[in-house]
Short mmCIF file of all heavy atoms in Angstrom, two decimals:
data_model
loop_
_atom_site.label_atom_id
_atom_site.label_comp_id
_atom_site.label_asym_id
_atom_site.label_seq_id
_atom_site.Cartn_x
_atom_site.Cartn_y
_atom_site.Cartn_z
N MET A 63 -1.75 0.57 14.04
CA MET A 63 -2.68 0.08 13.05
C MET A 63 -1.92 -0.30 11.77
O MET A 63 -2.27 -1.28 11.14
CB MET A 63 -3.75 1.12 12.78
CG MET A 63 -4.90 0.59 11.97
SD MET A 63 -6.34 1.63 11.91
CE MET A 63 -5.83 2.92 10.84
N MET A 64 -0.89 0.48 11.41
CA MET A 64 -0.12 0.13 10.21
C MET A 64 0.53 -1.23 10.38
O MET A 64 0.56 -2.03 9.44
CB MET A 64 0.96 1.18 9.94
CG MET A 64 0.45 2.40 9.22
SD MET A 64 1.79 3.41 8.60
CE MET A 64 1.99 4.54 9.94
N TYR A 65 1.04 -1.52 11.57
CA TYR A 65 1.66 -2.82 11.83
C TYR A 65 0.64 -3.93 11.64
O TYR A 65 0.92 -4.96 11.04
CB TYR A 65 2.23 -2.85 13.25
CG TYR A 65 2.81 -4.19 13.61
CD1 TYR A 65 4.06 -4.57 13.13
CD2 TYR A 65 2.12 -5.08 14.41
CE1 TYR A 65 4.60 -5.81 13.44
CE2 TYR A 65 2.64 -6.32 14.73
CZ TYR A 65 3.88 -6.67 14.24
OH TYR A 65 4.40 -7.91 14.54
N TYR A 66 -0.56 -3.74 12.16
CA TYR A 66 -1.63 -4.74 12.03
C TYR A 66 -1.90 -5.05 10.56
O TYR A 66 -1.99 -6.21 10.16
CB TYR A 66 -2.89 -4.23 12.72
CG TYR A 66 -4.07 -5.14 12.53
CD1 TYR A 66 -4.25 -6.24 13.35
CD2 TYR A 66 -5.00 -4.92 11.52
CE1 TYR A 66 -5.33 -7.10 13.18
CE2 TYR A 66 -6.08 -5.76 11.34
CZ TYR A 66 -6.23 -6.85 12.16
OH TYR A 66 -7.29 -7.70 11.99
N TYR A 67 -2.04 -4.01 9.75
CA TYR A 67 -2.33 -4.24 8.34
C TYR A 67 -1.15 -4.85 7.59
O TYR A 67 -1.34 -5.58 6.63
CB TYR A 67 -2.81 -2.95 7.66
CG TYR A 67 -4.28 -2.75 7.91
CD1 TYR A 67 -4.73 -1.87 8.89
CD2 TYR A 67 -5.22 -3.49 7.21
CE1 TYR A 67 -6.08 -1.73 9.14
CE2 TYR A 67 -6.57 -3.35 7.46
CZ TYR A 67 -7.00 -2.46 8.42
OH TYR A 67 -8.33 -2.34 8.68
N TRP A 68 0.06 -4.56 8.02
CA TRP A 68 1.24 -5.19 7.41
C TRP A 68 1.25 -6.68 7.72
O TRP A 68 1.40 -7.51 6.84
CB TRP A 68 2.51 -4.52 7.91
CG TRP A 68 3.76 -5.28 7.55
CD1 TRP A 68 4.57 -5.95 8.41
CD2 TRP A 68 4.32 -5.47 6.26
NE1 TRP A 68 5.60 -6.54 7.73
CE2 TRP A 68 5.48 -6.26 6.40
CE3 TRP A 68 3.95 -5.05 4.98
CZ2 TRP A 68 6.26 -6.64 5.31
CZ3 TRP A 68 4.74 -5.44 3.90
CH2 TRP A 68 5.88 -6.22 4.08
N VAL A 69 1.07 -7.05 8.99
CA VAL A 69 1.16 -8.44 9.42
C VAL A 69 -0.02 -9.26 8.92
O VAL A 69 0.16 -10.38 8.44
CB VAL A 69 1.27 -8.50 10.96
CG1 VAL A 69 1.14 -9.93 11.46
CG2 VAL A 69 2.56 -7.89 11.43
N HIS A 70 -1.22 -8.72 9.01
CA HIS A 70 -2.41 -9.52 8.73
C HIS A 70 -2.93 -9.39 7.29
O HIS A 70 -3.66 -10.27 6.83
CB HIS A 70 -3.53 -9.17 9.71
CG HIS A 70 -3.19 -9.52 11.12
ND1 HIS A 70 -3.23 -10.80 11.60
CD2 HIS A 70 -2.76 -8.75 12.15
CE1 HIS A 70 -2.85 -10.82 12.87
NE2 HIS A 70 -2.55 -9.57 13.22
N HIS A 71 -2.59 -8.31 6.62
CA HIS A 71 -3.16 -8.10 5.28
C HIS A 71 -2.12 -7.78 4.22
O HIS A 71 -2.47 -7.58 3.06
CB HIS A 71 -4.22 -6.99 5.33
CG HIS A 71 -5.36 -7.31 6.24
ND1 HIS A 71 -6.30 -8.28 5.96
CD2 HIS A 71 -5.71 -6.81 7.46
CE1 HIS A 71 -7.18 -8.35 6.94
NE2 HIS A 71 -6.84 -7.47 7.87
N GLY A 72 -0.84 -7.71 4.61
CA GLY A 72 0.23 -7.49 3.64
C GLY A 72 0.29 -6.09 3.05
O GLY A 72 0.89 -5.90 2.00
N ILE A 73 -0.32 -5.12 3.71
CA ILE A 73 -0.27 -3.74 3.22
C ILE A 73 0.95 -3.06 3.82
O ILE A 73 1.08 -2.95 5.04
CB ILE A 73 -1.56 -2.97 3.57
CG1 ILE A 73 -2.75 -3.65 2.92
CG2 ILE A 73 -1.45 -1.51 3.14
CD1 ILE A 73 -4.09 -3.09 3.35
N ARG A 74 1.87 -2.63 2.96
CA ARG A 74 3.10 -1.99 3.42
C ARG A 74 2.81 -0.65 4.10
O ARG A 74 1.89 0.08 3.69
CB ARG A 74 4.04 -1.76 2.24
CG ARG A 74 4.54 -3.03 1.62
CD ARG A 74 5.58 -2.78 0.53
NE ARG A 74 5.41 -1.55 -0.21
CZ ARG A 74 4.86 -1.46 -1.41
NH1 ARG A 74 4.44 -2.55 -2.02
NH2 ARG A 74 4.75 -0.30 -2.02
N PRO A 75 3.57 -0.31 5.13
CA PRO A 75 3.37 0.97 5.81
C PRO A 75 3.47 2.18 4.87
O PRO A 75 2.74 3.15 5.03
CB PRO A 75 4.47 0.99 6.86
CG PRO A 75 4.72 -0.45 7.15
CD PRO A 75 4.55 -1.14 5.83
N SER A 76 4.35 2.12 3.87
CA SER A 76 4.47 3.25 2.94
C SER A 76 3.19 3.44 2.13
O SER A 76 2.78 4.57 1.86
CB SER A 76 5.65 3.04 2.00
OG SER A 76 5.49 1.87 1.25
N VAL A 77 2.54 2.36 1.77
CA VAL A 77 1.26 2.45 1.05
C VAL A 77 0.21 3.03 1.98
O VAL A 77 -0.55 3.93 1.61
CB VAL A 77 0.83 1.07 0.52
CG1 VAL A 77 -0.58 1.11 -0.04
CG2 VAL A 77 1.82 0.57 -0.52
N PHE A 78 0.18 2.52 3.20
CA PHE A 78 -0.80 2.99 4.18
C PHE A 78 -0.60 4.48 4.47
O PHE A 78 -1.55 5.24 4.57
CB PHE A 78 -0.68 2.17 5.47
CG PHE A 78 -1.80 2.39 6.42
CD1 PHE A 78 -2.96 1.67 6.32
CD2 PHE A 78 -1.70 3.33 7.43
CE1 PHE A 78 -4.00 1.87 7.20
CE2 PHE A 78 -2.72 3.54 8.32
CZ PHE A 78 -3.88 2.81 8.19
N TYR A 79 0.64 4.90 4.58
CA TYR A 79 0.97 6.28 4.90
C TYR A 79 0.45 7.24 3.83
O TYR A 79 0.03 8.36 4.12
CB TYR A 79 2.48 6.44 5.06
CG TYR A 79 2.91 7.83 5.44
CD1 TYR A 79 2.80 8.27 6.75
CD2 TYR A 79 3.43 8.70 4.49
CE1 TYR A 79 3.18 9.55 7.10
CE2 TYR A 79 3.82 9.98 4.83
CZ TYR A 79 3.69 10.40 6.14
OH TYR A 79 4.07 11.66 6.48
N ASN A 80 0.46 6.81 2.58
CA ASN A 80 0.05 7.68 1.46
C ASN A 80 -1.45 7.68 1.18
O ASN A 80 -1.89 8.36 0.26
CB ASN A 80 0.82 7.27 0.19
CG ASN A 80 2.28 7.63 0.30
OD1 ASN A 80 2.64 8.67 0.82
ND2 ASN A 80 3.13 6.74 -0.17
N ILE A 81 -2.22 6.97 1.95
CA ILE A 81 -3.67 6.95 1.77
C ILE A 81 -4.24 8.28 2.27
O ILE A 81 -3.83 8.79 3.32
CB ILE A 81 -4.29 5.78 2.56
CG1 ILE A 81 -3.83 4.45 1.97
CG2 ILE A 81 -5.81 5.84 2.55
CD1 ILE A 81 -4.25 3.25 2.79
N PRO A 82 -5.20 8.88 1.56
CA PRO A 82 -5.81 10.14 2.01
C PRO A 82 -6.46 10.00 3.39
O PRO A 82 -6.94 8.92 3.76
CB PRO A 82 -6.87 10.42 0.95
CG PRO A 82 -6.47 9.63 -0.24
CD PRO A 82 -5.74 8.44 0.27
N GLU A 83 -6.46 11.08 4.14
CA GLU A 83 -6.97 11.06 5.52
C GLU A 83 -8.41 10.57 5.62
O GLU A 83 -8.75 9.83 6.53
CB GLU A 83 -6.85 12.45 6.15
CG GLU A 83 -5.43 12.84 6.48
CD GLU A 83 -4.74 11.88 7.43
OE1 GLU A 83 -5.36 11.44 8.42
OE2 GLU A 83 -3.57 11.56 7.17
N ARG A 84 -9.27 10.99 4.69
CA ARG A 84 -10.68 10.54 4.75
C ARG A 84 -10.78 9.04 4.59
O ARG A 84 -11.61 8.39 5.22
CB ARG A 84 -11.51 11.25 3.69
CG ARG A 84 -11.73 12.72 4.01
CD ARG A 84 -12.62 13.36 3.01
NE ARG A 84 -11.88 13.49 1.75
CZ ARG A 84 -12.41 13.86 0.60
NH1 ARG A 84 -13.69 14.13 0.52
NH2 ARG A 84 -11.68 13.95 -0.48
N GLU A 85 -9.93 8.47 3.76
CA GLU A 85 -9.94 7.02 3.56
C GLU A 85 -9.40 6.30 4.81
O GLU A 85 -9.87 5.22 5.16
CB GLU A 85 -9.10 6.67 2.34
CG GLU A 85 -9.43 5.33 1.75
CD GLU A 85 -8.78 5.12 0.39
OE1 GLU A 85 -8.58 6.10 -0.34
OE2 GLU A 85 -8.47 3.96 0.10
N LYS A 86 -8.44 6.92 5.48
CA LYS A 86 -7.92 6.34 6.71
C LYS A 86 -8.98 6.26 7.80
O LYS A 86 -8.98 5.34 8.61
CB LYS A 86 -6.71 7.13 7.22
CG LYS A 86 -5.46 6.92 6.42
CD LYS A 86 -4.31 7.73 6.97
CE LYS A 86 -3.09 7.63 6.09
NZ LYS A 86 -2.01 8.50 6.54
N VAL A 87 -9.91 7.22 7.80
CA VAL A 87 -11.01 7.19 8.76
C VAL A 87 -11.86 5.95 8.53
O VAL A 87 -12.25 5.25 9.49
CB VAL A 87 -11.87 8.47 8.67
CG1 VAL A 87 -13.13 8.36 9.49
CG2 VAL A 87 -11.04 9.68 9.09
N VAL A 88 -12.15 5.65 7.28
CA VAL A 88 -12.94 4.46 6.95
C VAL A 88 -12.17 3.20 7.31
O VAL A 88 -12.72 2.26 7.89
CB VAL A 88 -13.33 4.47 5.45
CG1 VAL A 88 -14.03 3.18 5.07
CG2 VAL A 88 -14.19 5.68 5.14
N ILE A 89 -10.88 3.17 6.99
CA ILE A 89 -10.06 2.00 7.30
C ILE A 89 -10.02 1.79 8.81
O ILE A 89 -10.08 0.66 9.29
CB ILE A 89 -8.64 2.17 6.72
CG1 ILE A 89 -8.71 2.07 5.20
CG2 ILE A 89 -7.69 1.13 7.28
CD1 ILE A 89 -7.42 2.42 4.50
N ARG A 90 -9.92 2.89 9.57
CA ARG A 90 -9.91 2.79 11.04
C ARG A 90 -11.21 2.17 11.54
O ARG A 90 -11.21 1.33 12.44
CB ARG A 90 -9.71 4.18 11.64
CG ARG A 90 -9.73 4.23 13.13
CD ARG A 90 -8.48 3.61 13.66
NE ARG A 90 -8.47 3.64 15.11
CZ ARG A 90 -7.41 3.51 15.83
NH1 ARG A 90 -6.24 3.36 15.25
NH2 ARG A 90 -7.47 3.50 17.12
N ALA A 91 -12.34 2.55 10.95
CA ALA A 91 -13.63 1.98 11.34
C ALA A 91 -13.65 0.48 11.04
O ALA A 91 -14.12 -0.32 11.87
CB ALA A 91 -14.76 2.69 10.62
N PHE A 92 -13.14 0.07 9.88
CA PHE A 92 -13.07 -1.35 9.54
C PHE A 92 -12.17 -2.10 10.51
O PHE A 92 -12.48 -3.21 10.93
CB PHE A 92 -12.57 -1.55 8.12
CG PHE A 92 -13.52 -1.12 7.04
CD1 PHE A 92 -13.05 -0.84 5.77
CD2 PHE A 92 -14.88 -0.99 7.27
CE1 PHE A 92 -13.91 -0.45 4.76
CE2 PHE A 92 -15.76 -0.60 6.28
CZ PHE A 92 -15.27 -0.32 5.01
N TYR A 93 -11.04 -1.48 10.85
CA TYR A 93 -10.08 -2.07 11.79
C TYR A 93 -10.75 -2.31 13.15
O TYR A 93 -10.65 -3.41 13.71
CB TYR A 93 -8.89 -1.12 11.92
CG TYR A 93 -7.94 -1.42 13.03
CD1 TYR A 93 -7.03 -2.46 12.95
CD2 TYR A 93 -7.91 -0.62 14.18
CE1 TYR A 93 -6.12 -2.71 13.97
CE2 TYR A 93 -7.02 -0.87 15.20
CZ TYR A 93 -6.12 -1.91 15.10
OH TYR A 93 -5.24 -2.15 16.10
N GLU A 94 -11.44 -1.30 13.66
CA GLU A 94 -12.10 -1.45 14.95
C GLU A 94 -13.21 -2.50 14.89
O GLU A 94 -13.39 -3.27 15.83
CB GLU A 94 -12.64 -0.11 15.41
CG GLU A 94 -11.53 0.86 15.78
CD GLU A 94 -12.02 2.25 16.12
OE1 GLU A 94 -13.25 2.49 16.10
OE2 GLU A 94 -11.16 3.11 16.38
N TYR A 95 -13.93 -2.55 13.79
CA TYR A 95 -14.99 -3.55 13.63
C TYR A 95 -14.40 -4.96 13.60
O TYR A 95 -14.91 -5.87 14.25
CB TYR A 95 -15.77 -3.29 12.34
CG TYR A 95 -16.85 -4.30 12.08
CD1 TYR A 95 -18.06 -4.24 12.79
CD2 TYR A 95 -16.68 -5.30 11.15
CE1 TYR A 95 -19.05 -5.17 12.56
CE2 TYR A 95 -17.67 -6.24 10.91
CZ TYR A 95 -18.86 -6.17 11.62
OH TYR A 95 -19.83 -7.10 11.40
N GLU A 96 -13.30 -5.12 12.87
CA GLU A 96 -12.65 -6.44 12.78
C GLU A 96 -12.14 -6.90 14.15
O GLU A 96 -12.31 -8.05 14.52
CB GLU A 96 -11.49 -6.38 11.79
CG GLU A 96 -10.88 -7.71 11.49
CD GLU A 96 -9.83 -7.65 10.39
OE1 GLU A 96 -9.68 -6.61 9.73
OE2 GLU A 96 -9.15 -8.67 10.20
N LEU A 97 -11.53 -5.99 14.91
CA LEU A 97 -11.07 -6.35 16.25
C LEU A 97 -12.23 -6.71 17.16
O LEU A 97 -12.14 -7.64 17.96
CB LEU A 97 -10.26 -5.21 16.86
CG LEU A 97 -8.90 -4.97 16.24
CD1 LEU A 97 -8.20 -3.82 16.96
CD2 LEU A 97 -8.04 -6.21 16.29
N LYS A 98 -13.33 -5.97 17.05
CA LYS A 98 -14.51 -6.27 17.87
C LYS A 98 -15.04 -7.66 17.54
O LYS A 98 -15.39 -8.43 18.43
CB LYS A 98 -15.60 -5.23 17.64
CG LYS A 98 -16.82 -5.44 18.51
CD LYS A 98 -17.87 -4.39 18.21
CE LYS A 98 -19.10 -4.54 19.08
NZ LYS A 98 -19.70 -5.85 19.07
N GLN A 99 -15.08 -8.01 16.25
CA GLN A 99 -15.54 -9.33 15.85
C GLN A 99 -14.64 -10.42 16.42
O GLN A 99 -15.12 -11.44 16.91
CB GLN A 99 -15.59 -9.45 14.32
CG GLN A 99 -16.62 -8.57 13.67
CD GLN A 99 -18.02 -8.96 14.07
OE1 GLN A 99 -18.36 -10.12 14.11
NE2 GLN A 99 -18.83 -7.96 14.39
N LYS A 100 -13.32 -10.22 16.37
CA LYS A 100 -12.39 -11.20 16.92
C LYS A 100 -12.56 -11.33 18.43
O LYS A 100 -12.51 -12.43 18.97
CB LYS A 100 -10.95 -10.81 16.59
CG LYS A 100 -10.59 -11.04 15.16
CD LYS A 100 -9.16 -10.70 14.88
CE LYS A 100 -8.83 -10.95 13.43
NZ LYS A 100 -7.43 -10.69 13.12
N ASN A 101 -12.75 -10.21 19.12
CA ASN A 101 -12.95 -10.26 20.57
C ASN A 101 -14.25 -10.96 20.94
O ASN A 101 -14.30 -11.70 21.91
CB ASN A 101 -12.93 -8.85 21.16
CG ASN A 101 -11.54 -8.26 21.21
OD1 ASN A 101 -10.55 -8.99 21.24
ND2 ASN A 101 -11.46 -6.95 21.20
N ASP A 102 -15.30 -10.71 20.17
CA ASP A 102 -16.58 -11.37 20.44
C ASP A 102 -16.46 -12.88 20.26
O ASP A 102 -17.03 -13.65 21.03
CB ASP A 102 -17.67 -10.82 19.53
CG ASP A 102 -18.07 -9.39 19.89
OD1 ASP A 102 -17.70 -8.91 20.99
OD2 ASP A 102 -18.75 -8.75 19.07
N LYS A 103 -15.73 -13.32 19.25
CA LYS A 103 -15.56 -14.75 19.03
C LYS A 103 -14.72 -15.39 20.13
O LYS A 103 -14.91 -16.55 20.46
CB LYS A 103 -14.88 -15.00 17.68
CG LYS A 103 -15.78 -14.76 16.51
CD LYS A 103 -15.06 -15.02 15.20
CE LYS A 103 -15.94 -14.68 14.03
NZ LYS A 103 -15.24 -14.84 12.76
N SER A 104 -13.79 -14.64 20.70
CA SER A 104 -12.91 -15.20 21.73
C SER A 104 -13.59 -15.29 23.09
O SER A 104 -13.07 -15.92 24.00
CB SER A 104 -11.63 -14.38 21.85
OG SER A 104 -11.90 -13.11 22.38
N ARG A 105 -14.75 -14.69 23.24
CA ARG A 105 -15.46 -14.72 24.53
C ARG A 105 -16.60 -15.74 24.52
O ARG A 105 -17.67 -15.50 25.06
CB ARG A 105 -16.04 -13.34 24.83
CG ARG A 105 -14.98 -12.32 25.06
CD ARG A 105 -15.59 -11.01 25.45
NE ARG A 105 -14.56 -10.01 25.49
CZ ARG A 105 -14.75 -8.73 25.29
NH1 ARG A 105 -15.94 -8.28 25.05
NH2 ARG A 105 -13.75 -7.90 25.35
N LYS A 106 -16.34 -16.87 23.96
CA LYS A 106 -17.37 -17.92 23.89
C LYS A 106 -17.57 -18.57 25.25
O LYS A 106 -16.69 -18.58 26.09
CB LYS A 106 -16.98 -18.96 22.86
CG LYS A 106 -16.94 -18.38 21.48
CD LYS A 106 -16.68 -19.43 20.46
CE LYS A 106 -16.66 -18.73 19.11
NZ LYS A 106 -16.66 -19.56 18.01
N ILE A 107 -18.75 -19.15 25.43
CA ILE A 107 -19.10 -19.84 26.66
C ILE A 107 -19.20 -21.33 26.34
O ILE A 107 -19.81 -21.72 25.35
CB ILE A 107 -20.47 -19.35 27.20
CG1 ILE A 107 -20.47 -17.83 27.37
CG2 ILE A 107 -20.84 -20.06 28.47
CD1 ILE A 107 -19.65 -17.30 28.51
N ASP A 108 -18.58 -22.17 27.19
CA ASP A 108 -18.68 -23.61 26.94
C ASP A 108 -20.02 -24.12 27.47
O ASP A 108 -20.83 -23.39 28.01
CB ASP A 108 -17.50 -24.37 27.54
CG ASP A 108 -17.49 -24.40 29.05
OD1 ASP A 108 -18.46 -23.91 29.67
OD2 ASP A 108 -16.52 -24.90 29.62
N SER A 109 -20.28 -25.42 27.32
CA SER A 109 -21.59 -25.99 27.67
C SER A 109 -21.91 -25.90 29.16
O SER A 109 -23.07 -25.93 29.55
CB SER A 109 -21.67 -27.44 27.20
OG SER A 109 -20.65 -28.20 27.84
N SER A 110 -20.90 -25.78 30.03
CA SER A 110 -21.16 -25.67 31.47
C SER A 110 -21.44 -24.23 31.89
O SER A 110 -21.73 -23.98 33.05
CB SER A 110 -19.94 -26.19 32.26
OG SER A 110 -18.84 -25.32 32.09
N GLY A 111 -21.34 -23.28 30.96
CA GLY A 111 -21.60 -21.89 31.28
C GLY A 111 -20.35 -21.12 31.67
O GLY A 111 -20.43 -19.95 31.99
N SER A 112 -19.21 -21.79 31.64
CA SER A 112 -17.95 -21.12 31.98
C SER A 112 -17.36 -20.49 30.73
O SER A 112 -17.40 -21.08 29.66
CB SER A 112 -16.94 -22.12 32.54
OG SER A 112 -17.44 -22.71 33.70
N PRO A 113 -16.81 -19.30 30.87
CA PRO A 113 -16.19 -18.67 29.70
C PRO A 113 -14.94 -19.44 29.25
O PRO A 113 -14.24 -20.02 30.07
CB PRO A 113 -15.81 -17.27 30.17
CG PRO A 113 -15.98 -17.27 31.64
CD PRO A 113 -16.75 -18.47 32.04
N VAL A 114 -14.73 -19.45 27.97
CA VAL A 114 -13.56 -20.11 27.40
C VAL A 114 -12.62 -19.01 26.91
O VAL A 114 -12.99 -18.18 26.09
CB VAL A 114 -13.96 -21.01 26.21
CG1 VAL A 114 -12.73 -21.63 25.57
CG2 VAL A 114 -14.93 -22.08 26.67
N PHE A 115 -11.40 -19.00 27.43
CA PHE A 115 -10.43 -18.00 27.03
C PHE A 115 -9.33 -18.67 26.22
O PHE A 115 -8.60 -19.51 26.74
CB PHE A 115 -9.80 -17.32 28.28
CG PHE A 115 -10.83 -16.57 29.08
CD1 PHE A 115 -11.33 -17.11 30.24
CD2 PHE A 115 -11.28 -15.33 28.67
CE1 PHE A 115 -12.27 -16.43 30.99
CE2 PHE A 115 -12.21 -14.64 29.41
CZ PHE A 115 -12.72 -15.19 30.57
N PRO A 116 -9.22 -18.31 24.94
CA PRO A 116 -8.18 -18.92 24.13
C PRO A 116 -6.80 -18.48 24.59
O PRO A 116 -6.61 -17.35 25.01
CB PRO A 116 -8.47 -18.42 22.72
CG PRO A 116 -9.28 -17.19 22.92
CD PRO A 116 -10.01 -17.35 24.22
N VAL A 117 -5.85 -19.38 24.53
CA VAL A 117 -4.48 -19.08 24.94
C VAL A 117 -3.63 -19.01 23.69
O VAL A 117 -3.63 -19.92 22.88
CB VAL A 117 -3.96 -20.18 25.89
CG1 VAL A 117 -2.52 -19.91 26.23
CG2 VAL A 117 -4.82 -20.26 27.13
N THR A 118 -2.90 -17.92 23.56
CA THR A 118 -1.99 -17.75 22.43
C THR A 118 -0.58 -17.86 22.95
O THR A 118 -0.18 -17.13 23.85
CB THR A 118 -2.20 -16.37 21.77
OG1 THR A 118 -3.57 -16.26 21.38
CG2 THR A 118 -1.30 -16.22 20.57
N ILE A 119 0.16 -18.78 22.39
CA ILE A 119 1.57 -18.94 22.80
C ILE A 119 2.42 -18.16 21.81
O ILE A 119 2.36 -18.40 20.60
CB ILE A 119 1.96 -20.42 22.80
CG1 ILE A 119 1.09 -21.17 23.83
CG2 ILE A 119 3.45 -20.57 23.13
CD1 ILE A 119 1.28 -22.65 23.83
N VAL A 120 3.18 -17.26 22.33
CA VAL A 120 3.99 -16.39 21.48
C VAL A 120 5.41 -16.89 21.44
O VAL A 120 5.99 -17.34 22.33
CB VAL A 120 3.96 -14.94 21.98
CG1 VAL A 120 4.80 -14.04 21.11
CG2 VAL A 120 2.53 -14.45 22.02
#
C-alpha cells in the first residue's frame, strides 16, 4: 500500500510509516474503496454485451 501511495499520490513511505495506526485504518479503507472503483470501471460492457477488458502494456 505504501508503494501505491508513493507512485499514485506522491506520499513518501517515511511519511506514511509515521502516520498513527488509527489513521492508517482510515487510509486503508480509502485505498480499498479507490481500487474497487477502478475495478468497477474496468469491467464495462460494450454495446454487444461482451465485457471489455482494458489492456495495460508495461
